[in-house]
Structure formats: structure tokens, C-alpha cells
Amino acid sequence: MGTSVLSLRIDHELLERLREHAARRGMSVQDYVVRTLIRDDFDERFQSAVEETEKFYGLT
């Protein structure tokens, strides 16, 4: 899997909050944002899988 670049423009207050969150975890802002996006993507895929399972087996 390769990598790509994503450039974002965000306001100063948001960047400062991201820096604080990342620092608490000993991470860079970039790593913090990437992990947050990965976690959100997993949550969405997991929810979709649950919904498909419920459709297949019916609600329990």
C-alpha cells in the first residue's frame, strides 16, 4: 500500500487543540489525525457489517 499527501487548511484554534490532543498521547499532529481517521473509518465499516448481519439473520 502506497502513501499519498493530503493538505488541509484549518483554523488556528483547531490546530492548537489537535496539538494538545496529540501531545497528551506523545504523537505528532499528523499521526494523531491519521489514527483518528482510521478509527472513524473502522467504526463506519464495523457498523455497516453489523447492519448487513442484522439484515441477513434478522434483528435479534
Side-chain angles (χ1 to χ4, degrees):
M1 176 163 71
T3 61
S4 298
V5 174
L6 172 65
S7 178
L8 298 171
R9 184 179 305 240
I10 58 176
D11 72 13
H12 180 73
E13 290 178 21
L14 176 56
L15 180 57
E16 287 305 311
R17 287 198 313 269
L18 290 172
R19 283 184 178 140
E20 290 173 14
H21 289 294
R24 281 188 224 132
R25 290 163 179 79
M27 304 169 76
S28 70
V29 172
Q30 177 180 334
D31 289 341
Y32 177 77
V33 169
V34 168
R35 284 184 179 238
T36 301
L37 291 170
I38 289 169
R39 185 176 56 242
D40 186 58
D41 180 60
F42 171 80
D43 291 346
E44 285 183 27
R45 289 183 290 127
F46 181 78
Q47 183 60 39
S48 293
V50 168
E51 290 169 0
E52 288 298 316
T53 301
E54 287 175 346
K55 286 179 191 173
F56 184 77
Y57 288 107
L59 295 175
T60 56

